[in-house]
Amino acid sequence: MSADTHPRERALAAAWAQIPLAHDPTAGLGSFTRRRIERMISIVLAVGSLALGAQAFVAALGSVQEPEPWHVAFMVANFGSLAALLVTYVVGRSIAPAAITFCAVFVATLVAWPFVVAGQDIPPSDPPWTWFLVSVVTASSIMFLPLVWQMAWTIFVPALFGITRLAQAGFAVDFWWPTLLDVSFAVILGGVFVTLGWMFRSIADNVDESRRNAVETYTAAAVTEAAESERIAVAALMHDSVLAALIASERAQTPREQGLAVAMAQEALTRLANAETDAGLGSDSPRPFGTLVEEVESGARGLGVDLVVERAYGHDAPEIPGRVGNAMILAAMQAIANSIEHAGGIGLTVCARQEPDTQRLHLEVQDLGDGFDLDTVPDDRLGIRGSIIARVAAVGGTVHITSDSSGTLVRLTWQGARA
């Protein structure tokens, strides 16, 4: 059995199925949370850019600072690229190219501005309409520049605006103070945008990292559990079928014992053939408790024992998950085989019962043999530890064994869901 491959594949699939995420947690813009933060940032930028852009557009319509041909060219270039950027913010695609284009157009406008409006008599308190777009340009850098360059850009664009504003006025003293206030406000506002973007992205990255660590931890635990379960299954299979068939063959003297050895060998070959695909485990669909009893009776007949299981449960007995039922059947069959082999099947009885007014089910195998001391059983003997105790424990059940000179009782217990 592929003990290294199959448990890992099953465990990874089970781990990732718990979270709606592709197997590559760093795909796209980062990961599960990061993508949503990026989407949120783009929507916020769209709303803010639309508000500031609308102010700039209204101011530009009434602007008389630049000559008419340049006025039209500036408006078409700046507001056309801004409109394209707003569309990409909304659809969430091609944001970086649109933001780069808009920023390049605006910087070109600032550089050309002093030359286009040279000689105009403009009051210090009347900034050009480009001032309303400065914060839009600094904020858009969040979508295409690394953090360090965002900070540099947030200082560069307002400073460039201030220089062009002073150059337009011939660096007159009256323009220095209002220009300094405008530049300071733009730098502070841009710094707030950059800080918020960095903070939300950092939080998203931390959440995704914690999420990845949680999945990896879950996967590692699931792999360990799956490998251990498979080890128990393999050990139980070797003892239940292979070793038991070999021992029975060696000891067979009478025709009945030889027939029993042949039946055990056939079962071993069948289970070995089905081991790779787990076919022997069957479906995990719930099944009535009564079907387990019938299979135990049938299995006992296969071992040459005409056994009738005592039934002490009602119609309200809970259904048992398929794998739980299969584990209890195999464990009960191992207990029956042990009784036949070591106690001669003396007084062998099997009882299936439900505790009154509970969902707890018991499958009990009892004989009247000489008994044994469980503590003295060697660790390499898997009939009880692997094929019974570990097998039932692996599916959430419990096993209680009592044995003395008056006989042995093996009680398999499973607790159904409480109503």
Side-chain angles (χ1 to χ4, degrees):
M1 185 163 303
S2 304
D4 293 333
T5 302
H6 290 244
R8 182 171 295 277
E9 292 177 351
R10 290 195 294 267
L12 285 172
W16 285 109
Q18 306 304 312
I19 301 177
L21 176 65
H23 282 259
D24 179 7
T26 59
L29 289 170
S31 55
F32 185 78
T33 308
R34 179 65 178 265
R35 285 197 296 270
R36 281 149 180 78
I37 288 295
E38 294 292 341
R39 184 59 180 157
M40 183 187 74
I41 291 175
S42 66
I43 295 299
V44 171
L45 287 178
V47 174
S49 298
L50 178 62
L52 294 174
Q55 288 182 295
F57 185 77
V58 172
L61 288 177
S63 176
V64 295
Q65 296 186 23
E66 62 270 36
E68 186 63 27
W70 284 101
H71 177 70
V72 175
F74 284 160
M75 287 193 62
V76 171
N78 283 274
F79 293 108
S81 60
L82 175 59
L85 177 60
L86 292 177
V87 172
T88 63
Y89 280 152
V90 174
V91 301
R93 303 171 67 93
S94 303
I95 295 177
I100 292 172
T101 301
F102 171 64
C103 290
V105 169
F106 183 77
V107 169
T109 300
L110 290 184
V111 172
W113 190 269
F115 304 100
V116 172
V117 300
Q120 297 287 335
D121 185 16
I122 303 169
S125 59
D126 186 17
W129 55 267
T130 53
W131 183 80
F132 294 100
L133 295 180
V134 171
S135 295
V136 178
V137 174
T138 56
S140 64
S141 68
I142 296 174
M143 305 306 294
F144 69 92
L145 288 177
L147 179 61
V148 174
W149 289 104
Q150 292 174 30
M151 298 169 62
W153 184 257
T154 300
I155 297 173
F156 168 75
V157 174
L160 180 61
F161 168 80
I163 292 173
T164 59
R165 173 74 167 145
L166 293 175
Q168 174 187 358
F171 293 93
V173 177
D174 293 344
F175 282 79
W176 281 85
W177 180 246
T179 301
L180 180 61
L181 291 178
D182 291 341
V183 170
S184 300
F185 178 80
V187 169
I188 293 173
L189 185 59
V192 171
F193 289 149
V194 170
T195 301
L196 289 176
W198 167 79
M199 182 180 67
F200 284 123
R201 283 170 171 162
S202 297
I203 293 174
D205 290 340
N206 289 335
V207 170
D208 286 322
E209 181 64 23
S210 299
R211 193 166 173 271
R212 273 192 293 269
N213 291 337
V215 171
E216 290 172 0
T217 302
Y218 170 84
T219 301
V223 167
T224 302
E225 190 276 335
E228 180 64 15
S229 296
E230 191 159 336
R231 185 193 66 79
I232 292 172
V234 171
L237 171 61
M238 291 298 295
H239 179 275
D240 293 357
S241 298
V242 180
L243 294 180
L246 293 175
I247 294 173
S249 299
E250 179 187 13
R251 297 178 178 178
Q253 300 294 330
T254 66
R256 178 178 179 277
E257 291 175 343
Q258 292 173 353
L260 175 60
V262 171
M264 293 175 68
Q266 290 175 339
E267 180 192 8
L269 291 173
T270 300
R271 293 185 64 188
L272 284 172
N274 293 333
E276 182 66 23
T277 58
D278 288 338
L281 295 178
S283 169
D284 201 33
S285 300
R287 54 194 300 190
F289 190 39
T291 63
L292 273 68
V293 176
E294 295 172 359
E295 292 195 31
V296 171
E297 290 177 337
S298 176
R301 285 194 293 270
L303 295 178
V305 179
D306 189 10
L307 180 70
V308 176
V309 178
E310 298 179 10
R311 292 167 170 81
Y313 56 87
H315 297 292
D316 61 339
E319 291 190 332
I320 298 181
R323 289 180 180 266
V324 175
N326 290 333
M328 293 188 69
I329 291 171
L330 293 174
M333 292 305 304
Q334 182 60 43
I336 293 172
N338 287 348
S339 176
I340 296 173
E341 180 178 355
H342 301 293
I346 300 174
L348 178 61
T349 59
V350 178
C351 178
R353 64 185 181 88
Q354 175 185 7
E355 288 190 14
D357 302 322
T358 71
Q359 297 288 292
R360 186 177 290 111
L361 302 176
H362 301 287
L363 193 57
E364 300 173 341
V365 179
Q366 186 171 15
D367 65 44
L368 301 178
D370 294 334
F372 64 97
D373 185 355
L374 181 61
D375 295 333
T376 63
V377 177
D379 292 340
D380 59 349
R381 301 298 297 274
L382 302 177
I384 294 177
R385 291 189 176 91
S387 300
I388 298 178
I389 297 176
R391 171 177 278 151
V392 174
V395 294
T398 58
V399 177
H400 180 69
I401 299 176
T402 57
S403 183
D404 53 33
S405 58
S406 61
T408 299
L409 170 64
V410 178
R411 178 181 294 117
L412 315 176
T413 303
W414 182 77
Q415 173 66 57
R418 292 177 174 81

